[in-house]
Amino acid sequence: MWKYILKRIFYSILTIFFLIMLTFFMMQLLPGDPFVGDKAVDPVVLEELHAKYGLDKPVPEQFVRYVLNVCKGDLGIDLKTKRPITQTIAESFPISFELGIRSLIFASIMGFFLGVLAAVKRGTKWDTGAMLIALIGISVPSFIMGAILQYFLGFKLFQWTGVRVFPILGWNTEMSKLLPAFALSFGSMASISRLMRTSMLDVMSSDYIKTAKAKGLSRMQIIWRHGVRNAVLPVVTFLGPQAAALLTGAFVVENIFNIPGLGKFFVIGVQNNNYTMITGTTLFYGAFLVVANLIVDLLYGVIDPRVKLAGGKE
Amino acid sequence: MAEEKVYTPTRDDFTPVAADSSTREAIARPSISFWKDAMTRLWNNRTAIVCVIILGLIVLGALVIPLVSPYTTSEQHVAHSNASFMFRDSADGHLHIFGTDNLGRDMFVRVWDGARVSLFIAVLAVAINLVIGLLYGGISGYFGGGVDTVMMRIVEIVNGIPYLIIVIILMMVLPRGLISIVVAYGIVGWTGMARLVRGQIVSLKEQEFIVAAEAMGARSGRIILRHLLPNTLSVIIVNITLAIPNVIFSESFLSFVGIGLPPPQPSWGVLASEGQKVFQMYPLQLIVPSVFICLTMLSFNLLGDAMRDAFDPKLRR
């Protein structure tokens, strides 16, 4: 088990290092000076900045410097606002995180129930209905979903009833958080429900379910105690990659709903060619996802005793 | 009670068929190859047929409509900008089936031209993924051992970062344009295909028919081309079908983020992101590209699912 954990941690560090390398070479390839934005910069300040980030040194030394800076938590300075990137992240990431967590919880619960329902009532109209919802979820990108919700529930509902139920934009009241979280979660919910259904069907045709039936357990007991418990395991590993999907989805959803999260700043950075902002947030995102994946993987080892056994044999 | 005569056959009524080994060995039913069987099942799947027809119509429309339309994609009709559905101008007789956008450009021709661009990007990017994935996965799976370990670790590391972030970084460096999107996606998107191909090859190469081919003196090239690849083909086709909607989504995503195609070239993503800006006033401009994006993605997803079922030997009856 420990060997497995150490191996996973090692690969996580390697992944982050690869990402640092990628962003560094991107900065090298870009034309111009990373500290010169639209406006002219005072040459003294520029010199100081160059010295601080070691841009007057040869490339390999610059790389070492860059890695060390990143390790210290210094992701550079925003070209437009001249504030440290870390400060922007500290202010806006909690909002993105809240949006992501809300979506993930919603997607997991809804996906779980849809999947179990479809598997248990296989071949009936419940199955068809649940899988139809899942297919729509997979085929409708989050930005279209967001716009549809905004239009009908935010805009048209207000026009028809005169009561502002869901605000169109913003992130302040509880109601304003519902639409973006739902728009973001729809795709993940669909994937989770499909996965849950396959996993559940797989489990329900296994021998121990037959044994449980032979023992005379009730249908509910079989489904919940023996079926769902085993079927949910592969779905847990899927949550790590789903966090990545939610994160990139949040770029767009935050923009549509005008939520001041990190995704919005990232997209604005991309549109303004704000390179340090892009590299800084990219590194942060990458590290966050790698850690999230690591936690999910380790969690899987904890909740599924079979993984531990496989690790022990090695 | 009437006596009913029931005929009881005796031994003499039967004559034994001559034991001819050639007729006994013959297969009574016509043999159905794997592909024939899969195709029959796909053909009997109504959903799959509908999807093929929808996709066929979209491809056909994308190829033909921009050529025959009286308008071009960048032609502006300032007199009737933001026109509504099936708008006909009484002054000059212009008909705009899907209306016009805020610059007065005809949405009908733009959405079909956008289809051409979006589908072109999708097909090309998936083709690049396929080539890289086949080579990478094939080499990794066929040679195994240390090569395999190192190659798969690299895939794992690349996979640790969401592909869209890498694509965005690449798009920053590359000049904006169609080829850049294809290249950026092509560089990143192959990991899934490589993993899939490797997994297939690893499980196949241990099987008896490969050992038999080796025993009969087939070279590696022949084994890979004649025996390994044809057997992985069904899985690859399913994967391609499911990868295309993914690229269409990525392209729309990039346009939405603002690093997609430069104007005036429309694509579905560009149209959707332009429509999103004015959707409260003119919802049609968002609805039209959205319907096309969703319909295409839905058709490809359904077709992919149907193909997976058709190719699955477990479901073979």
Side-chain angles (χ1 to χ4, degrees):
Chain A
M1 191 67 199
W2 280 106
K3 202 179 152 197
Y4 173 72
I5 293 176
L6 283 176
K7 207 171 100 184
R8 287 288 299 129
I9 291 176
F10 175 70
Y11 283 121
S12 304
I13 293 171
L14 217 60
T15 309
I16 295 174
F17 186 74
F18 169 73
L19 195 60
I20 294 176
M21 223 157 72
L22 197 75
T23 49
F24 177 78
F25 284 110
M26 180 203 133
M27 293 287 272
Q28 291 290 319
L29 280 172
L30 286 169
D33 191 296
F35 295 109
V36 180
D38 300 332
K39 281 173 261 170
V41 185
D42 185 6
V44 183
V45 177
L46 198 63
E47 200 111 309
E48 231 169 69
L49 280 170
H50 275 195
K52 191 186 173 205
Y53 290 95
L55 292 187
D56 43 358
K57 308 256 166 43
V59 174
E61 209 184 317
Q62 275 186 45
F63 182 63
V64 174
R65 189 93 174 223
Y66 183 68
V67 173
L68 287 177
N69 269 337
V70 169
C71 291
K72 271 187 269 171
D74 183 357
L75 294 174
I77 284 174
D78 192 324
L79 295 180
K80 303 285 174 215
T81 57
K82 302 285 176 277
R83 285 169 44 187
I85 304 287
T86 39
Q87 201 179 326
T88 313
I89 292 176
E91 278 167 19
S92 57
F93 185 66
I95 296 173
S96 294
F97 190 71
E98 193 191 337
L99 173 65
I101 288 291
R102 276 167 184 268
S103 303
L104 196 63
I105 290 173
F106 185 76
S108 312
I109 293 175
M110 282 299 291
F112 174 80
F113 277 106
L114 277 180
V116 172
L117 183 77
V120 169
K121 307 218 177 238
R122 188 188 188 182
T124 64
K125 54 177 186 280
W126 291 96
D127 184 13
T128 321
M131 284 307 104
L132 200 71
I133 295 176
L135 251 170
I136 293 170
I138 287 176
S139 304
V140 180
S142 53
F143 50 88
I144 293 178
M145 199 63 205
I148 291 172
L149 288 176
Q150 232 177 3
Y151 186 69
F152 286 105
L153 293 181
F155 186 63
K156 278 287 167 190
L157 196 68
F158 174 63
Q159 274 192 338
W160 290 329
T161 60
V163 187
R164 172 70 68 223
V165 186
F166 299 104
I168 297 178
L169 302 172
W171 183 260
N172 28 48
T173 60
E174 206 49 38
M175 286 316 260
S176 71
K177 295 177 181 180
L178 276 179
L179 291 189
F182 184 73
L184 187 56
S185 68
F186 208 61
S188 300
M189 181 196 82
S191 315
I192 291 173
S193 67
R194 276 166 73 113
L195 196 69
M196 188 69 209
R197 178 176 179 269
T198 351
S199 171
M200 188 76 185
L201 284 178
D202 209 37
V203 166
M204 290 308 272
S205 63
S206 59
D207 287 341
Y208 54 81
I209 296 293
K210 272 185 209 139
T211 312
K213 272 183 196 158
K215 281 199 301 187
L217 292 185
S218 75
R219 196 171 152 73
M220 274 295 141
Q221 267 177 319
I222 293 171
I223 290 171
W224 290 106
R225 299 260 301 271
H226 297 271
V228 169
R229 256 197 188 182
N230 288 296
V232 83
L233 290 170
V235 183
V236 172
T237 36
F238 188 64
L239 292 182
Q242 271 314 294
L246 285 178
L247 210 126
T248 39
F251 292 175
V252 173
V253 170
E254 283 176 11
N255 261 281
I256 291 178
F257 287 94
N258 199 20
I259 298 166
L262 190 54
K264 189 169 159 48
F265 284 105
F266 182 76
V267 172
I268 293 173
V270 168
Q271 284 163 355
N272 294 339
N273 287 339
N274 195 341
Y275 297 130
T276 45
M277 183 75 202
I278 299 165
T279 51
T281 31
T282 304
L283 282 180
F284 177 75
Y285 274 140
F288 177 76
L289 284 175
V290 166
V291 172
N293 266 325
L294 184 69
I295 290 172
V296 167
D297 266 18
L298 296 185
L299 205 69
Y300 190 58
V302 173
I303 56 172
D304 190 354
R306 285 171 297 188
V307 170
K308 218 179 274 174
L309 279 176
K313 259 185 226 159
E314 270 186 2
Chain B
M1 220 163 127
E3 189 94 352
E4 202 176 333
K5 251 202 150 165
V6 178
Y7 180 74
T8 341
T10 57
R11 206 190 145 88
D12 300 334
D13 289 328
F14 297 98
T15 45
V17 176
D20 183 5
S21 65
S22 65
T23 49
R24 233 194 274 164
E25 292 287 318
I27 297 162
R29 290 227 244 142
S31 92
I32 300 173
S33 74
F34 171 72
W35 289 102
K36 237 178 172 174
D37 178 56
M39 277 308 155
T40 318
R41 265 190 286 150
L42 205 58
W43 194 246
N44 288 334
N45 187 338
R46 219 183 310 151
T47 329
I49 296 302
V50 172
C51 291
V52 169
I53 292 172
I54 291 175
L55 291 175
L57 286 177
I58 290 177
V59 170
L60 197 72
L63 291 176
V64 174
I65 289 173
L67 296 178
V68 299
S69 167
Y71 316 113
T72 64
T73 53
S74 51
E75 184 183 323
Q76 296 184 9
H77 307 265
V78 194
H80 35 261
S81 59
N82 291 322
S84 55
F85 188 65
M86 290 306 276
F87 174 85
R88 184 184 283 282
D89 191 23
S90 47
D92 49 11
H94 281 174
L95 173 68
H96 298 292
I97 297 175
F98 289 157
T100 54
D101 66 3
N102 60 342
L103 293 174
R105 295 176 292 195
D106 182 61
M107 280 295 282
F108 190 70
V109 69
R110 275 177 79 73
V111 85
W112 285 109
D113 198 61
R116 176 151 62 169
V117 172
S118 289
L119 291 174
F120 178 74
I121 290 175
V123 170
L124 209 61
V126 170
I128 294 178
N129 287 344
L130 180 68
V131 172
I132 301 180
L134 269 183
L135 284 177
Y136 197 96
I139 292 170
S140 180
Y142 189 73
F143 292 105
V147 181
D148 183 36
T149 315
V150 171
M151 286 175 94
M152 280 302 118
R153 288 295 160 264
I154 294 173
V155 167
E156 219 163 88
I157 287 169
V158 175
N159 249 355
I161 309 158
Y163 72 95
L164 273 171
I165 285 188
I166 307 184
V167 170
I168 288 174
I169 291 183
L170 287 171
M171 289 297 292
M172 300 301 301
V173 181
L174 298 167
R176 264 177 84 173
L178 199 150
I179 297 301
S180 295
I181 295 182
V182 173
V183 169
Y185 192 84
I187 291 175
V188 183
W190 53 270
T191 52
M193 187 69 82
R195 271 189 163 173
L196 193 84
V197 172
R198 178 198 166 263
Q200 286 284 311
I201 300 249
V202 163
S203 70
L204 279 174
K205 75 171 180 185
E206 301 299 328
Q207 288 187 16
E208 279 86 356
F209 69 94
I210 300 295
V211 179
E214 269 169 5
M216 282 192 275
R219 290 192 194 90
S220 314
R222 190 182 157 83
I223 290 177
I224 291 177
L225 286 178
R226 284 286 300 154
H227 298 288
L228 289 177
L229 285 185
N231 280 297
T232 56
L233 212 56
S234 61
V235 186
I236 290 168
I237 289 175
V238 172
N239 191 270
I240 289 173
T241 319
L242 296 175
I244 288 178
N246 205 11
V247 189
I248 292 176
F249 166 75
S250 305
E251 184 272 320
S252 323
F253 177 87
L254 288 178
S255 302
F256 235 94
V257 171
I259 47 173
L261 290 172
Q265 177 61 55
S267 73
W268 284 342
V270 171
L271 293 172
S273 86
E274 279 171 4
Q276 202 268 326
K277 287 170 197 143
V278 294
F279 85 105
Q280 286 195 24
M281 303 303 293
Y282 311 105
L284 185 71
Q285 291 176 29
L286 176 65
I287 291 170
V288 169
S290 299
V291 165
F292 272 85
I293 294 174
C294 297
L295 199 63
T296 313
M297 285 178 71
L298 188 72
S299 301
F300 271 115
N301 280 325
L302 277 171
L303 186 63
D305 283 355
M307 277 177 158
R308 183 179 297 168
D309 290 348
F311 287 142
D312 193 347
K314 275 184 229 155
L315 294 174
R316 207 174 169 180
R317 270 164 295 187

